[in-house]
Amino acid sequence: MSRQSIFTVLALLTATQAAQANSNPWLPEPGAINGSVSYVYQTTDRFFMGNQLVKLPADLSQHTVNFYGEYGLSDSLALDASLGYSSTEFIGTPADGPSPYGASLDGLTDTNLGARWRVLDELIDAPLTVTLRAGGIIRGDYQVGALNAIGDGASGGEFSALIGRFFENGISLSSQISYRTLEGQVPDNFFASLKGNYSINAKTSIGVNYQVQESLSGIDIGAPGFTFARFPGVKEDYQIVGGNLSYQLTPATSVTVVYAKVVDGRNTSYHDLAGINLGFSF
């Protein structure tokens, strides 16, 4: 394994999986606005080079603040948007690859704009709520090709099917299946998630979730022909499990703490993620 192979992965580590749009099938009421502000911290000292878990020469950490909002246009149509700001930290040397070597990088994350259309409603005449989403991705304002780049630096689109149901015992289940395509050499990929939530009482709930991404093409880090310039075209797969605890502060505001961990992957980081989210509606 060459030093260039080790340090090239750092640009991939910082492409936060949370940036993958993870919507739910339930829409806001017509005219209602829901929003949230979240802070996420993730750190790692290992990564998957291909499918082999390898130790990094130094720790890498990332701080991200994200803003999300959605607006109900009608009973069956809503708009949503998310935008964030992120910074990464890694201490390297001139021998580790293209500059900058150790200074923190920061910038706006990719912007995600979407429209959701509910085609089945469990509250009316269907056993499940089913919603379709189409979204656009606008590349963020960050440096690409550095050791600790924030993302792939590519615009594109994604298309999702969202399914969910509430049960009388306080349990809700939802799932998402998405196809994402980006410009340039970034591989198309499939993304899926499964979430479960249980309301302990009127104000407190707990949840668990599972996420998986599979790239449809791409090169492995360290494979023949791989260079630093090709890292946006790497085949990046991952599986993440996590949990959350939510508390309703007021009828219109809530706070949620989250924790998640990568459990398997290919050409991606083996990181832990923790965060806090403040939600509101009006």
Side-chain angles (χ1 to χ4, degrees):
M1 176 177 53
S2 69
R3 288 181 64 83
Q4 183 176 359
S5 296
I6 293 176
F7 287 95
T8 300
V9 75
L10 298 179
L12 295 169
L13 305 186
T14 56
T16 309
Q17 282 88 357
Q20 179 77 262
N22 196 4
S23 303
N24 68 72
W26 300 290
L27 305 185
E29 295 181 359
I33 297 176
N34 297 330
S36 67
V37 180
S38 62
Y39 165 76
V40 174
Y41 172 75
Q42 64 188 81
T43 182
T44 186
D45 62 359
R46 289 179 287 174
F47 74 96
F48 291 96
M49 181 178 174
N51 57 10
Q52 180 182 2
L53 191 59
V54 176
K55 180 78 172 179
L56 284 170
D59 290 351
L60 183 144
S61 62
Q62 181 172 6
H63 305 264
T64 302
V65 176
N66 193 72
F67 303 90
Y68 172 82
E70 60 180 13
Y71 174 71
L73 288 175
S74 68
D75 286 335
S76 59
L77 187 63
L79 303 177
D80 59 67
S82 65
L83 172 66
Y85 176 85
S86 188
S87 66
T88 62
E89 298 174 359
F90 176 77
I91 303 301
T93 70
D96 298 335
S99 62
Y101 310 118
S104 297
L105 292 182
D106 57 14
L108 296 177
T109 62
D110 296 339
T111 299
N112 199 302
L113 305 173
R116 283 180 288 160
W117 174 44
R118 183 171 57 203
V119 296
L120 293 177
D121 189 345
E122 65 192 289
L123 298 180
I124 300 178
D125 56 359
L128 301 168
T129 295
V130 178
T131 299
L132 302 179
R133 181 183 185 275
I137 301 168
I138 303 172
R139 60 174 295 176
D141 179 21
Y142 51 80
Q143 181 175 341
V144 178
L147 299 179
N148 45 346
I150 291 170
D152 291 322
S155 299
E158 59 186 4
F159 308 91
S160 306
L162 311 162
I163 302 171
R165 179 173 178 177
F166 284 103
F167 297 89
E168 293 182 358
N169 56 7
I171 294 176
S172 65
L173 297 175
S174 63
S175 63
Q176 172 180 348
I177 301 176
S178 300
Y179 177 80
R180 185 174 70 159
T181 180
L182 295 172
E183 63 186 353
Q185 60 179 311
V186 181
D188 292 357
N189 63 68
F190 281 107
F191 172 82
S193 68
L194 179 63
K195 295 187 290 185
N197 197 76
Y198 173 66
S199 297
I200 299 173
N201 53 46
K203 290 189 174 184
T204 309
S205 64
I206 57 174
V208 294
N209 64 83
Y210 169 77
Q211 299 179 33
V212 58
Q213 174 182 291
E214 293 287 336
S215 296
L216 302 185
S217 61
I219 189 172
D220 280 333
I221 296 172
F226 177 78
T227 65
F228 215 99
R230 293 187 66 180
F231 78 78
V234 161
K235 177 178 174 61
E236 183 182 11
D237 304 332
Y238 60 78
Q239 297 181 54
I240 299 176
V241 295
N244 62 270
L245 174 65
S246 298
Y247 184 77
Q248 196 75 27
L249 299 172
T250 72
T253 60
S254 64
V255 62
T256 302
V257 292
V258 300
Y259 172 79
K261 181 179 183 62
V262 172
V263 295
D264 196 13
R266 187 180 191 91
N267 301 307
T268 195
S269 67
Y270 188 64
H271 68 257
D272 296 281
L273 178 154
I276 186 168
N277 178 291
L278 178 64
F280 55 87
S281 61
F282 54 90

